[in-house]
Amino acid sequence: MNQLLIATTNRWKAKLFEPIMSHYGFEIITLNRLKISGQTPVEDGRSVIENALIKARHYHSSEYPWVFGDDTGLEIKALNGEPGVQSRRWAGCFPDDVDDKVWLDYLLERMKDVPIGERTAEFVDGWALIEPSGTVHTCEQRAVFEIALEPIRTLLPGLPVMSVAI
């Protein structure tokens, strides 16, 4: 069975991708399980695909020949596409470790005057898989949803927007 390194420390993402990749015969390992020394890659791409590739390329090696990287952005129509590819950092407004409640409060404050029916947003997911040969496969997916006026479910750690996604 081939090992596939999922280049993330996000436990939610690991739980999401593990059953999918296991279905294709991979044994899944994540950065949380490994003691990889060195710096984590700087995700400074202009798109989710570029950021997924940055992560996958950073960890691809003879030791980890199969690597999967992903990145997720958030585009809100009423906010002219904000926060964009750096959704957690909200294009530099917050540090990487911003508290979920702080992030959610900021979102709801920015959306307070946007009426129902005009609160459309899209998750933009970028995936990159690198094979042992170095062949790269990428994919971008979009999922449209509406943002509720207030939280409708409990905060998911690392995914505060899900508490207001309709």
Side-chain angles (χ1 to χ4, degrees):
M1 179 180 285
N2 288 317
Q3 285 189 330
L4 174 68
L5 173 61
I6 297 179
T8 187
T9 57
N10 183 316
R11 286 181 170 84
W12 184 88
K13 286 183 178 182
K15 284 182 182 180
L16 173 69
F17 293 118
E18 184 165 5
I20 297 166
M21 300 305 188
S22 294
H23 175 77
Y24 289 99
F26 287 103
E27 175 192 347
I28 305 307
I29 52 176
T30 66
L31 296 177
N32 292 331
R33 273 187 46 198
L34 302 176
K35 304 282 190 248
I36 296 177
S37 60
Q39 292 207 315
T40 58
V42 176
E43 297 176 44
D44 58 359
R46 293 175 300 183
S47 72
V48 292
I49 293 288
E50 287 180 18
N51 281 340
L53 280 167
I54 287 168
K55 288 185 257 190
R57 285 181 174 135
H58 181 82
Y59 294 105
H60 184 255
S61 65
S62 59
E63 189 174 2
Y64 305 108
W66 287 94
V67 181
F68 177 80
D70 83 290
D71 193 44
T72 302
L74 175 65
E75 296 177 1
I76 302 169
K77 187 174 182 179
L79 300 180
N80 298 314
E82 285 185 43
V85 72
Q86 293 183 356
S87 57
R88 185 69 180 173
R89 296 173 290 247
W90 204 294
C93 292
F94 296 117
D96 286 337
D97 61 352
V98 63
D99 180 78
D100 289 336
K101 178 101 172 70
V102 170
W103 190 96
L104 182 60
D105 288 346
Y106 182 76
L107 167 66
L108 292 175
E109 176 63 25
R110 294 286 309 275
M111 297 292 291
K112 71 180 181 186
D113 296 325
V114 180
I116 293 292
E118 296 179 25
R119 300 172 71 88
T120 304
E122 287 184 278
F123 283 118
V124 184
D125 295 311
W127 302 326
L129 174 69
I130 303 180
E131 297 182 26
S133 67
T135 300
V136 174
H137 305 273
T138 62
C139 179
E140 181 180 295
Q141 295 290 315
R142 291 177 172 264
V144 179
F145 65 99
E146 190 163 327
I147 297 172
L149 295 171
E150 60 188 30
I152 57 174
R153 64 185 64 84
T154 306
L155 277 173
L156 281 172
L159 287 169
V161 74
M162 292 305 294
S163 66
V164 293
I166 300 174

